[in-house]
Amino acid sequence: MGITIMSRDKGSVVRLYCESIDENELCVVCDFGDGKEVFIPKSQITDDSEVWESGQEGELEIPEWLAMDRGLIWFISLLSYSRKKEIQQVNLLLG
C-alpha cells in the first residue's frame, strides 16, 4: 500500500490507494486492500482525491488526522512520534 503525506494550508493530508465499495449521502465506504470496510466522511475528502463515490478505485486524499483515527496509518504516526522524541533528545544534547 502506497502512502503519501503532504502538507497543505489546512494541515497534512494523506493519499491512500483504495476501492470504494458503497456510499450514502454522508460517507464513502472504502476497502484499502485488507477486506475491512472503512467509512470516510465525504466532507473530509479533498478535491484532489481520485475516489469520492461508490465504484471508484484510486488514491483517496483525506486529512492525516482522519487516516490515523481510522487506523489507516497508525504505524506512520508511531514512527513520527518516535522521530520527534529522537530529535528532542538530540536537541537537548546539543542545546
Side-chain angles (χ1 to χ4, degrees):
M1 166 173 61
I3 299 172
T4 305
I5 299 179
M6 300 169 283
S7 289
R8 296 277 170 95
D9 292 341
K10 296 184 179 180
S12 295
V13 295
V14 297
R15 293 179 68 89
L16 303 160
Y17 191 84
C18 72
E19 178 183 357
S20 59
I21 54 178
D22 201 1
E23 73 173 306
N24 62 33
E25 62 187 59
L26 298 177
C27 69
V28 176
V29 182
C30 296
D31 178 358
F32 291 88
D34 58 2
K36 291 191 293 188
E37 296 180 354
V38 180
F39 291 77
I40 305 294
K42 289 182 177 180
S43 63
Q44 297 301 317
I45 299 173
T46 72
D47 292 339
D48 294 328
S49 184
E50 297 174 355
V51 176
W52 60 87
E53 61 186 21
S54 184
Q56 295 178 322
E57 191 172 330
E59 290 190 338
L60 173 73
E61 187 175 290
I62 57 175
E64 182 181 21
W65 69 263
L66 180 61
M68 288 189 299
D69 181 68
R70 297 297 191 265
L72 300 172
I73 59 166
W74 65 269
F75 59 92
I76 287 182
S77 69
L78 181 61
L79 290 174
S80 177
Y81 175 78
S82 176
R83 175 61 65 183
K84 285 179 188 175
K85 284 297 195 188
E86 289 175 21
I87 291 170
Q88 287 173 352
Q89 289 172 351
V90 168
N91 286 338
L92 287 174
L93 292 173
L94 296 175

